[in-house]
Amino acid sequence: MSNSHPRKKKRKRLNKEAKDLLSKGYVKDHISSTSITTGVNFTSTVENGRHLTSNITAKYAYKNATVDVIFDSKSNLSAAIGFHGEFLPSTKTIATLKLPDYSSSKLRFQYFHKHDALVTSLVLSQSPALRLSASIGNPTIALRMKAVCKTGCGFTKYDAGIHAANPNRTASIILANKCDLLKASYVHRFHQPMKIAVGAEITRSFSIKENTFTVAGSCKVDRMTTLKVKVNNHGKLDTLFLHKIRPKFSLSISGEFDAKALNKFPRIGLALALML
């Protein structure tokens, strides 16, 4: 078990890097959230010269407990308290309480084994929702399934996919949105000083009979600077410039240009993140 967990973490990291290359950090979700370890993080986001949000996030961890507090520019305060306890071998239980929006509180149970994993969570709202996620495989290839069941509504979501990964490449085929969306993606990494990565994604929506083809690339200009770009067959071009001014202070600039909407100004996003 001790040897399998590092391999699972590495596979999870590779899959996350592939997903981030094709979707994360651009204008539409520009620095909407920043994950931190223990400490205080300040994030401010500006788009097209218009200030959108400012968030102060604090996280404290002690033994098996974590406390997250978020205060935003709209004077909203929310807190999440998590407890991690290993009651049985290969299992972990997490209880999370969010305030003042207590309806999003949840109870989560995780089971990890050498070749499979099972995660279930119960959202404690007026219409409780049960979320189920399961995977089976090894660090090289895995089959995953997700489903959401709500009281009185039955299954509102079910996805299935197969993922393959190694240090140089990641590939996946996913059937999502109740079998309405088919998505296939591939990312290749070039291990050199610039750490260049290129990827492509094809999606097919059966309900509206639409295909989308996206290509993306990223590179590390230096130790503190990263560039990302993606473009699809609908004429949308997204770019992202991320620079760490200091180890705990970063600047992010993103842009979005739509070739089919030349009468509109390109969208530009600016974000500053500071961790104390």
Side-chain angles (χ1 to χ4, degrees):
M1 175 183 168
S2 59
N3 293 331
S4 64
H5 279 197
R7 292 197 299 268
K8 288 180 180 178
K9 288 182 179 179
K10 184 177 181 180
R11 181 182 66 191
K12 184 177 180 180
R13 177 179 60 81
L14 293 175
N15 287 335
K16 181 181 183 299
E17 290 177 355
K19 183 178 180 181
D20 289 352
L21 172 64
L22 291 161
S23 63
K24 187 177 180 181
Y26 300 100
V27 168
K28 65 180 180 180
D29 61 347
H30 199 122
I31 313 294
S32 58
S33 63
T34 303
S35 60
I36 62 171
T37 53
T38 300
V40 179
N41 186 71
F42 173 78
T43 300
S44 181
T45 302
V46 176
E47 182 183 318
N48 289 355
R50 182 168 54 92
H51 183 264
L52 297 181
T53 61
S54 294
N55 295 325
I56 298 178
T57 304
K59 183 170 184 176
Y60 176 75
Y62 178 74
K63 293 184 178 180
N64 293 335
T66 58
V67 179
D68 296 86
V69 179
I70 301 175
F71 182 77
D72 61 27
S73 55
K74 297 180 180 179
S75 300
N76 292 321
L77 177 65
S78 62
I81 302 173
F83 176 78
H84 303 248
E86 296 188 2
F87 300 104
L88 296 172
S90 302
T91 65
K92 180 178 291 186
T93 303
I94 305 171
T96 303
L97 176 64
K98 291 188 177 182
L99 299 173
D101 184 18
Y102 64 89
S103 62
S104 59
S105 303
K106 65 176 64 175
L107 180 65
R108 186 182 182 98
F109 175 80
Q110 300 175 339
Y111 169 79
F112 297 101
H113 196 258
K114 185 176 182 179
H115 296 297
D116 51 66
L118 176 66
V119 178
T120 61
S121 61
L122 179 64
V123 180
L124 307 177
S125 61
Q126 293 182 350
S127 299
L130 178 64
R131 302 175 183 270
L132 175 66
S133 175
S135 66
I136 183 171
N138 55 48
T140 302
I141 187 169
L143 176 65
R144 296 177 180 175
M145 294 164 285
K146 294 182 180 180
V148 178
C149 182
K150 288 188 177 181
T151 304
C153 300
F155 285 98
T156 59
K157 179 180 178 181
Y158 41 87
D159 305 338
I162 184 169
H163 303 260
N166 64 29
N168 296 322
R169 59 188 66 88
T170 301
S172 66
I173 299 176
I174 301 173
L175 190 61
N177 292 353
K178 297 183 179 181
C179 300
D180 178 62
L181 182 67
L182 180 65
K183 181 186 299 185
S185 63
Y186 174 81
V187 173
H188 192 93
R189 305 174 188 84
F190 299 90
H191 296 280
Q192 52 177 316
M194 294 186 70
K195 293 185 178 179
I196 296 176
V198 294
E201 180 182 79
I202 301 175
T203 62
R204 168 67 177 178
S205 177
F206 298 106
S207 59
I208 61 176
K209 298 181 180 180
E210 181 179 79
N211 299 321
T212 302
F213 178 68
T214 304
V215 293
S218 70
C219 69
K220 291 186 70 68
V221 179
D222 53 42
R223 187 172 57 90
M224 308 294 283
T225 307
T226 301
L227 292 176
K228 291 172 57 178
V229 60
K230 72 172 182 177
V231 61
N232 64 26
N233 61 310
H234 300 301
K236 280 193 176 182
L237 172 67
D238 293 273
T239 59
L240 174 67
F241 171 85
L242 177 62
H243 179 69
K244 291 184 178 180
I245 302 173
R246 292 184 178 181
K248 295 184 179 181
F249 183 35
S250 64
L251 167 68
S252 182
I253 303 174
S254 63
E256 181 182 279
F257 173 75
D258 190 349
K260 294 185 177 181
L262 297 178
N263 58 324
K264 297 181 180 180
F265 288 103
R267 298 175 63 193
I268 299 176
L270 172 66
L272 294 172
L274 173 65
M275 187 178 78
L276 304 178

